[in-house]
Amino acid sequence: DYIKAHSKTFKYVVLGILGAGYVAYFIAACVLDFQRATGLVVLTSLAVVATSYELLKEYKGESISRLLMSEGVFYCLFRVFILAALALFVVWLVLDTSKYPQQLISFGGVCMFVVLIFLLSAHRTAVSWRPVFWGLGMQFCIGLFVIRTQPGLIAFKWLGQQVQIFLNYTKEGSIFVFGDLLADIFAFQALPIVVFFSSVMSILYFLGIMQWLILKISWVMQITMGTSPTETLSVAGNIFVGQTEAPLLIRPYLKDMTKSEIHAVLTGGFATIAGSVMGAFISFGIDASSLISASVMAAPCALAISKLSYPETEESPFKSEKNVKVSCGDEQNILEAASSGASASIGLVANIAANLIAFLAILEFINSALRWLGSMVGYPLLTFQLICSYVFMPVAFMMGVPYDDSFIVAELIGTKLFVNEFVAYEELSKLKENRRNGIEESISYFVKIITTYALCGFANFSSLGIVIGGLSSICPSRRADISSLVLRAMLTGTCVSLVNACIAGKKNATVFFSKCCQCCDLSAVDVCK
């Protein structure tokens, strides 16, 4: 009875002892070897930021939301601030691109894709420019931090390395099951990573960590972009989970969502990749930090471009996040969560393996048919990739890819769109990063990073059936709307990935040119060649 009566006091005493113990441990680790304790410092800093964020949202969240979303005096001042920020951005752009005019091509690519989506918009007169400008602005700021600032470069490089180390633990289970076959067979190297990552994600969902993280990210996007809690929550979830798993977060609300919100949910799924599949791409040798930053940058951009492609013309029933609750799993303990996550991945692994076998075989059949037809008129080297290289070459060039490399990148964009991103990334991993040794199929590191951003997404024709079937099973009453919007959403998601690549192209061009020109007498153009 005494313990129950003073439970809060006991709780605070225990928390205080644990907190004091951790502070002592943290100080000791930093004093003994600060470099070794870098990871501990980063994790502690993230915990402090997360706690501060939670306190800010709890005590000031409603007032911040009211101020940002109201039409009062603050809203007018806020608009003035945005205009001033845009003016400063234009000035910075002029000064920055005056040193390296090649960057203007990437900036022109962003403008081209935005104008194209606007011209093809379902309701051009109904476009609300607030989510568009905020989404593109957030994407640009994330890209600026990740690629152009030293802390951002270091942070995401470190994060990519930690993800790579974490995924390498898969080898312990794979070696036990497959033995020596692991070194020789692709399926036994890449696909077990999907199983491991799916199990880990299931544990994180059971513990509530993923729901907490997704809610925080969606709150930031919602109060800035003014989008509804349901669509924002689903798009934020796409940073971590796949295009059919993220809508499960808002499953009870799908039946009442507007067409524009459904389109945003679909676009978010097409514009990003699942964390489990990301692990498989990293196993190919694709840069981990680029994949992570591409998926993060795609979330606000997906909402922005989605609202440009299919603006809101209805009244959403979901105005407040208080009416929206995140659904959780049914597992009873952490062991069941780990087991169910691994079991759930069996279908995904089988789907990936089956699609790779089918699409690579179909692609080879198409290439054989094209070579046969081409040989009749003197073009025996005609292939699907060659056709894509000419069709998508202007797109690759507008992303900031040098002309000589644009044909190779165009092939990969076509492969990703008409086959799938798995095949495209597998082809990208085969390309060498050296053109000066006379290797024909090679691209520079700079171009490889841009291509990584361009291919980051599930937007391809093979995903259409998966999305229609997956979301229709979740909400059968909206099957007709999903089927009518899915093609537009796929093309919108493709544009999101290409805009991402343009942003990466502009930022990487400056870093690449400035670093190379400092260490040799060649001009930037010569270095690029």
Side-chain angles (χ1 to χ4, degrees), residues 53 61 64-70 74-75 78-79 81-82 128-139 142 216-228 232 299-301 303-304:
Y53 178 97
I64 292 173
S65 299
R66 257 195 325 269
L67 286 172
L68 289 176
M69 304 182 79
S70 65
F74 181 84
Y75 187 71
F78 187 69
R79 296 178 78 172
F81 169 76
I82 293 297
S128 173
W129 291 100
R130 176 185 172 181
V132 176
F133 286 133
W134 262 107
L136 292 174
M138 290 172 69
Q139 179 202 30
I142 294 170
K216 304 317 164 195
I217 294 172
S218 67
W219 180 73
V220 172
M221 291 198 294
Q222 183 193 340
I223 64 170
T224 52
M225 301 175 70
T227 48
S228 70
T232 312
C301 185
L303 271 179

Side-chain angles (χ1 to χ4, degrees), residues 28-191:
C30 293
V31 170
L32 290 172
D33 190 339
F34 185 79
Q35 187 173 1
R36 184 179 59 191
T38 303
L40 185 64
V41 172
V42 171
L43 293 174
T44 304
S45 301
L46 288 174
V48 171
V49 170
T51 305
S52 304
Y53 178 97
E54 187 69 31
L55 293 172
L56 178 67
K57 185 182 177 184
E58 183 178 350
Y59 294 104
K60 296 292 182 181
E62 288 188 12
S63 58
I64 292 173
S65 299
R66 257 195 325 269
L67 286 172
L68 289 176
M69 304 182 79
S70 65
E71 298 288 341
V73 178
F74 181 84
Y75 187 71
C76 295
L77 293 174
F78 187 69
R79 296 178 78 172
V80 172
F81 169 76
I82 293 297
L83 291 173
L86 285 174
L88 290 172
F89 166 72
V90 171
V91 172
W92 172 81
L93 187 68
V94 171
L95 295 174
D96 194 50
T97 53
S98 63
K99 298 178 182 178
Y100 310 106
Q102 295 87 351
Q103 295 179 90
L104 286 173
I105 298 175
S106 299
F107 181 71
V110 175
C111 297
M112 181 187 75
F113 290 122
V114 170
V115 170
L116 180 65
I117 290 293
F118 175 73
L119 292 176
L120 298 176
S121 176
H123 309 284
R124 284 193 293 273
T125 55
V127 173
S128 173
W129 291 100
R130 176 185 172 181
V132 176
F133 286 133
W134 262 107
L136 292 174
M138 290 172 69
Q139 179 202 30
F140 186 85
C141 290
I142 294 170
L144 191 68
F145 172 74
V146 172
I147 303 170
R148 284 291 292 277
T149 65
Q150 195 68 14
L153 282 167
I154 294 172
F156 271 78
K157 184 179 179 181
W158 178 85
L159 184 60
Q161 290 171 345
Q162 303 315 305
V163 170
Q164 183 67 66
I165 292 169
F166 182 70
L167 294 177
N168 284 339
Y169 294 130
T170 311
K171 291 180 181 178
E172 293 301 317
S174 300
I175 290 171
F176 179 79
V177 175
F178 302 119
D180 295 336
L181 294 174
L182 180 68
D184 303 320
I185 301 176
F186 159 78
F188 296 156
Q189 295 176 20
L191 298 184

Side-chain angles (χ1 to χ4, degrees), residues 151-397:
L153 282 167
I154 294 172
F156 271 78
K157 184 179 179 181
W158 178 85
L159 184 60
Q161 290 171 345
Q162 303 315 305
V163 170
Q164 183 67 66
I165 292 169
F166 182 70
L167 294 177
N168 284 339
Y169 294 130
T170 311
K171 291 180 181 178
E172 293 301 317
S174 300
I175 290 171
F176 179 79
V177 175
F178 302 119
D180 295 336
L181 294 174
L182 180 68
D184 303 320
I185 301 176
F186 159 78
F188 296 156
Q189 295 176 20
L191 298 184
I193 291 176
V194 178
V195 179
F196 173 57
F197 208 90
S198 177
S199 181
V200 171
M201 291 294 286
S202 182
I203 292 172
L204 293 177
Y205 264 97
F206 172 76
L207 297 175
I209 295 172
M210 289 307 304
Q211 293 93 320
W212 180 88
L213 188 58
I214 291 168
L215 281 170
K216 304 317 164 195
I217 294 172
S218 67
W219 180 73
V220 172
M221 291 198 294
Q222 183 193 340
I223 64 170
T224 52
M225 301 175 70
T227 48
S228 70
T230 48
E231 60 186 345
T232 312
L233 189 63
S234 179
V235 173
N238 279 125
I239 298 174
F240 308 99
V241 294
Q243 57 190 154
T244 53
E245 291 87 4
L248 292 173
L249 294 168
I250 54 168
R251 182 174 186 168
Y253 315 106
L254 281 169
K255 64 181 184 299
D256 298 316
M257 291 171 66
T258 65
K259 282 190 174 182
S260 178
E261 290 173 332
I262 293 288
H263 181 265
V265 170
L266 294 171
T267 302
F270 282 122
T272 54
I273 57 175
S276 53
V277 179
M278 186 188 296
F281 297 153
I282 293 171
S283 72
F284 291 170
I286 304 299
D287 184 59
S289 60
S290 296
L291 280 173
I292 296 168
S293 57
S295 199
V296 173
M297 287 168 62
C301 185
L303 271 179
I305 301 298
S306 171
K307 292 305 173 184
L308 189 61
S309 176
Y310 202 101
E312 187 64 84
T313 57
E314 307 170 66
E315 187 69 26
S316 174
F318 308 105
K319 290 295 184 182
S320 173
E321 64 176 359
K322 291 180 179 179
N323 301 326
V324 179
K325 304 294 181 185
V326 179
S327 59
C328 302
D330 301 324
E331 293 84 3
Q332 300 301 313
N333 55 60
I334 195 167
L335 293 176
E336 185 183 354
S339 177
S340 64
S343 301
S345 68
I346 294 173
L348 178 59
V349 168
N351 183 56
I352 291 171
N355 273 280
L356 281 174
I357 294 169
F359 281 107
L360 285 173
I362 291 170
L363 184 61
E364 182 56 31
F365 167 73
I366 292 172
N367 283 338
S368 296
L370 289 173
R371 281 192 290 264
W372 180 76
L373 292 171
S375 65
M376 300 295 173
V377 290
Y379 289 97
L381 299 179
L382 181 65
T383 61
F384 173 78
Q385 289 92 333
L386 184 64
I387 295 171
C388 288
S389 71
Y390 284 97
V391 172
F392 293 102
M393 189 279 290
V395 174
F397 181 75

Side-chain angles (χ1 to χ4, degrees), residues 303-495:
L303 271 179
I305 301 298
S306 171
K307 292 305 173 184
L308 189 61
S309 176
Y310 202 101
E312 187 64 84
T313 57
E314 307 170 66
E315 187 69 26
S316 174
F318 308 105
K319 290 295 184 182
S320 173
E321 64 176 359
K322 291 180 179 179
N323 301 326
V324 179
K325 304 294 181 185
V326 179
S327 59
C328 302
D330 301 324
E331 293 84 3
Q332 300 301 313
N333 55 60
I334 195 167
L335 293 176
E336 185 183 354
S339 177
S340 64
S343 301
S345 68
I346 294 173
L348 178 59
V349 168
N351 183 56
I352 291 171
N355 273 280
L356 281 174
I357 294 169
F359 281 107
L360 285 173
I362 291 170
L363 184 61
E364 182 56 31
F365 167 73
I366 292 172
N367 283 338
S368 296
L370 289 173
R371 281 192 290 264
W372 180 76
L373 292 171
S375 65
M376 300 295 173
V377 290
Y379 289 97
L381 299 179
L382 181 65
T383 61
F384 173 78
Q385 289 92 333
L386 184 64
I387 295 171
C388 288
S389 71
Y390 284 97
V391 172
F392 293 102
M393 189 279 290
V395 174
F397 181 75
M398 290 304 293
M399 284 163 26
V401 177
Y403 178 80
D404 290 341
D405 289 327
S406 60
F407 291 94
I408 298 176
V409 176
E411 288 181 15
L412 296 173
I413 293 173
T415 302
K416 181 251 185 179
L417 181 61
F418 292 106
V419 184
N420 61 39
E421 69 291 335
F422 226 98
V423 177
Y425 272 126
E426 200 264 341
E427 290 294 325
L428 176 62
S429 67
K430 292 178 182 177
L431 296 178
K432 305 298 180 183
E433 293 173 3
N434 188 350
R435 182 171 284 280
R436 292 194 172 230
N437 288 343
I439 302 172
E440 185 179 347
E441 287 296 305
S442 62
I443 54 176
S444 66
Y445 176 77
F446 156 62
V447 173
K448 202 165 187 177
I449 294 298
I450 295 178
T451 310
T452 300
Y453 280 81
L455 302 181
C456 187
F458 285 136
N460 55 69
F461 285 98
S462 63
S463 294
L464 294 178
I466 296 172
V467 172
I468 293 172
L471 265 69
S472 296
S473 63
I474 294 173
C475 186
S477 62
R478 302 304 298 269
R479 184 182 181 87
D481 291 331
I482 292 167
S483 300
S484 64
L485 293 170
V486 69
L487 182 60
R488 173 182 287 274
M490 188 206 73
L491 296 175
T492 305
T494 301
C495 284

